[in-house]
Amino acid sequence: MELTPDERGRYARHLLLPEVGLAGQLRLKNASVLVVGAGGLGSPVATYLACAGVGKLGILDDDRVERSNLQRQPLHATPDLGRLKVDSARERLAALNPEIEVEALPERLTMRNAEEIVGRYGLVVSGADNFAARYLVSDVCVRLEKPWVHGALHRFDGEVTLFAPGGPCYRCLHPGPPAPGESPSCAEAGVLGVLPGIVGSLMATEALKFLLGIGDGLSGRLLLIDALSMNFRTVRFSAQPGCTGCTGTLPLEDLSEECAPPASNLRFMKEITAPQLKALLGSGEELRLIDVREPDEWAIGHIDGATLVPLATVPATCASWDPDEKIVLMCRSGKRSSDALAYLAQQGFTDLTNLRGGILAWSDQVDPSIPKY
């Protein structure tokens, strides 16, 4: 393949770099990258890879644009509210660079589709905001011998690394997921709006270096960013003896449930919809309504009659509760409350129900005066 006259003009500053030049730009044109997530990290990653001329980009995300996304996800704009993120992302990327191909994948990476989707691309860049997805990306990339760039955010902090074939894997860095409540997502803990731009740009840089075969990659090194102190530091990590992830033989069937409550607790997993909960509260039935979000989230809006018990404090607080009383748990979207439900089930509580969709569903279906965030 050759560069067209338009492409030569578009990538003129790349062509001036001896480390890139015409040969390097052609390598980018022939490259394919899967971007997992079109949110805070996926926005700058996809934007800069598109502008750089990566020939094929896959954007994988099953979420829709919410107002709270607009603080840090510049791939999407106010008119995109309610649209699939992959659709608004594809539209914006095509406007930035019509010379490339953008494949919109409106789905979630699962044990059933991971190998087929990842197998179509030469490099994966993941901005997934949960541990289960990160383990799945890692294990399928090891199995298929695909390199991938990892990035993560937490409030004012970020991290970036590269996992290359033959090097340590994500499980070498994080052998197992944290306990419930120990590592909240951005939706749970908040994030400085500009931080995804910093971390995502570094992820895109690492991806371009790998595709071009230049510079010193981050394989075996974790770059840590502290935006409050504006401190960048690198720590080394290596392959761990006996790491199950490095073998590439870990069954993918186990991965999507990696961070889910134990199967033995599933019999306790009752759910209630927001309208059903409204009716239950109106019936006068006696119950304990527990909100396991954080105080700052509670202050944004909450259901009247609920009690705030942040997830990390549930073990210490529940000792005073009656194990046979009816308890309804809730959080922002239903994930943390399901973790709390699983813990309470292990402690012998017998009448547990989770609010399906959490406060977001309550805002949508019952009380729109509670802001969505």
Side-chain angles (χ1 to χ4, degrees), residues 45-304:
V45 166
T47 296
Y48 278 109
L49 294 184
C51 290
V54 172
K56 179 181 178 181
L57 287 178
I59 312 296
L60 186 141
D61 199 313
D62 67 343
D63 285 344
R64 293 181 180 272
V65 180
E66 298 178 1
R67 193 171 300 276
S68 63
N69 300 150
L70 304 181
Q71 165 247 20
R72 67 197 178 283
Q73 301 180 16
L75 270 183
H76 319 295
T78 302
D80 296 318
L81 291 173
R83 296 182 68 193
L84 284 166
K85 286 185 178 180
V86 293
D87 289 341
S88 52
R90 177 172 54 186
E91 208 169 86
R92 172 63 71 87
L93 297 174
L96 283 170
N97 190 351
E99 307 285 352
I100 67 169
E101 175 189 354
V102 180
E103 181 181 15
L105 301 165
E107 54 191 308
R108 186 180 299 271
L109 204 66
T110 69
M111 62 184 182
R112 290 172 291 278
N113 64 19
E115 286 191 89
E116 189 275 327
I117 292 176
V118 171
R120 302 204 304 259
Y121 296 87
L123 174 70
V124 177
V125 183
S126 174
D129 65 353
N130 66 87
F131 280 87
R134 294 167 189 163
Y135 287 121
L136 178 55
V137 170
S138 177
D139 291 337
V140 74
C141 283
V142 170
R143 177 177 291 196
L144 299 179
E145 298 185 337
K146 300 281 187 178
W148 71 287
V149 177
H150 158 73
L153 305 168
H154 179 71
R155 296 185 174 177
F156 298 92
D157 302 324
E159 66 179 45
V160 181
T161 191
L162 166 71
F163 297 102
C169 75
Y170 185 75
R171 290 181 184 272
C172 296
L173 187 61
H174 298 287
E182 284 188 2
S183 183
S185 68
C186 292
E188 300 162 355
V191 64
L192 184 68
V194 72
L195 183 64
I198 298 170
V199 176
S201 295
L202 292 168
M203 294 166 68
T205 302
E206 198 64 15
L208 290 173
K209 285 164 48 187
F210 185 87
L211 294 172
L212 291 166
I214 62 175
D216 187 9
L218 283 173
S219 179
R221 296 186 296 146
L222 181 67
L223 177 62
L224 299 171
I225 302 103
D226 179 349
L228 278 180
S229 65
M230 202 49 75
N231 180 49
F232 289 62
R233 64 189 179 96
T234 304
V235 296
R236 295 190 176 275
F237 65 98
S238 57
Q240 298 300 301
C243 174
T244 57
C246 287
T247 65
T249 59
L250 193 66
L252 294 184
E253 288 74 15
D254 296 339
L255 302 180
S256 63
E257 305 302 326
E258 181 75 36
C259 300
S264 60
N265 291 326
L266 293 181
R267 65 181 182 275
F268 297 101
M269 292 291 185
K270 293 191 298 183
E271 285 192 322
I272 189 171
T273 67
Q276 288 170 340
L277 177 58
K278 179 183 178 182
L280 182 63
L281 292 172
S283 72
E285 182 175 347
E286 190 172 338
L287 58 87
R288 185 184 293 270
L289 203 58
I290 300 297
D291 189 324
V292 300
R293 295 177 299 159
E294 295 300 310
D296 289 346
E297 298 176 277
W298 170 269
I300 293 173
H302 55 269
I303 298 175
D304 289 341

